[in-house]
Amino acid sequence: RKEVEQDPGPFNVPEGATVAFNCTYSNSASQSFFWYRQDCRKEPKLLMSVYSSGNEDGRFTAQLNRASQYISLLIRDSKLSDSATYLCAVNMKNFGNEKLTFGTGTRLTIIP
Amino acid sequence: NAGVTQTPKFQVLKTGQSMTLQCAQDMNHEYMSWYRQDPGMGLRLIHYSVGAGITDQGEVPNGYNVSRSTTEDFPLRLLSAAPSQTSVYFCASSYTSGSTDTQYFGPGTRLTVL
């Protein structure tokens, strides 16, 4: 089983719709969680960190479910500019070392 | 600040050749890391460094060497290139361990090994 798993998609969603992604992780001791956005042929950029209480940034909402070991990203009122690949990243603590482990990404295309 | 810079942007090598991918950051970040990104595999950690003079292996270190003689620079060396090393390579840096701080990525180096 992969340490961090995402549905690769693609998700093709009409403009204005709400879309949600999940990301599951295997290490119950994981402490930090992030969503990154990656545009085609570009580097990943941090979209938002994910806190236990959930957090919101404009149209984006991130949540953490420790019991079921997943994080989620909700995008409301989707825009054409939201088309990208969304990567989740988890701080995996292995042998005392902290490293970020990334999922393979979920590709989102917003359709006009 | 230029952020994280990588050179070259593109490179084509023949099997067996060696080369160094350059990475530099001007944010005085202690933590730097190298990832490779392949279709369907996501970002995989190659090597990382928690400060000058300190490096460690990530998930896929075989075939690569690193050194960290200064805080700013973290070059990645391919000792004898193989077609399996065809990939996009990203360098990243953050203020501390990278697990709790934002990692800033460079623009990437697209490497093809023939």
Side-chain angles (χ1 to χ4, degrees):
Chain A
R1 181 187 174 187
K2 289 183 179 178
E3 293 181 340
V4 179
E5 292 198 77
Q6 291 183 254
D7 183 341
F11 283 59
N12 298 315
V13 174
E15 191 175 7
T18 296
V19 60
F21 311 131
N22 280 346
C23 168
T24 59
Y25 60 94
S26 60
N27 187 342
S28 59
S30 299
Q31 297 180 348
S32 306
F33 309 88
F34 307 89
W35 282 104
Y36 280 78
R37 171 191 169 125
Q38 186 174 25
D39 293 299
C40 187
R41 303 181 73 82
K42 297 286 188 180
E43 71 273 23
K45 293 185 179 178
L46 182 68
L47 179 65
M48 56 198 309
S49 302
V50 187
Y51 304 118
S52 297
S53 55
N55 47 304
E56 189 174 309
D57 183 3
R59 298 181 294 108
F60 297 83
T61 300
Q63 291 193 318
L64 166 64
N65 185 318
R66 285 193 183 272
S68 299
Q69 294 184 203
Y70 73 86
I71 62 173
S72 64
L73 178 67
L74 182 78
I75 305 174
R76 291 181 299 277
D77 187 24
S78 53
K79 312 290 185 190
L80 295 177
S81 57
D82 295 332
S83 296
T85 296
Y86 291 84
L87 305 167
C88 65
V90 177
N91 164 24
M92 309 292 287
K93 206 156 193 175
N94 297 312
F95 307 104
N97 295 322
E98 297 182 35
K99 302 169 196 170
L100 273 183
T101 299
F102 285 83
T104 55
T106 297
R107 188 171 176 183
L108 172 66
T109 300
I110 305 300
I111 303 166
Chain B
N1 287 348
V4 181
T5 58
Q6 291 183 239
T7 56
K9 289 186 178 180
F10 302 93
Q11 183 70 51
V12 178
L13 292 177
K14 294 181 180 178
T15 296
Q17 287 184 314
S18 61
M19 78 159 295
T20 300
L21 279 62
Q22 301 292 344
C23 173
Q25 53 88 12
D26 61 358
M27 298 175 281
N28 201 32
H29 284 170
E30 289 295 323
Y31 188 93
M32 296 185 73
S33 52
W34 276 102
Y35 295 88
R36 59 177 289 174
Q37 187 173 35
D38 304 292
M41 300 294 291
L43 287 158
R44 292 183 292 168
L45 184 65
I46 304 172
H47 285 285
Y48 67 99
S49 169
V50 298
I54 306 169
T55 63
D56 205 349
Q57 296 180 349
E59 180 185 354
V60 288
N62 293 339
Y64 308 94
N65 274 356
V66 292
S67 60
R68 185 93 181 272
S69 55
T70 67
T71 300
E72 294 78 19
D73 300 298
F74 191 43
L76 178 72
R77 297 184 187 83
L78 279 69
L79 308 173
S80 177
S84 61
Q85 294 178 304
T86 294
S87 187
V88 181
Y89 291 85
F90 288 104
C91 178
S93 76
S94 62
Y95 186 65
T96 56
S97 69
S99 60
T100 53
D101 284 346
T102 302
Q103 282 208 359
Y104 295 89
F105 284 82
T109 293
R110 297 182 181 278
L111 176 67
T112 301
V113 183
L114 302 175

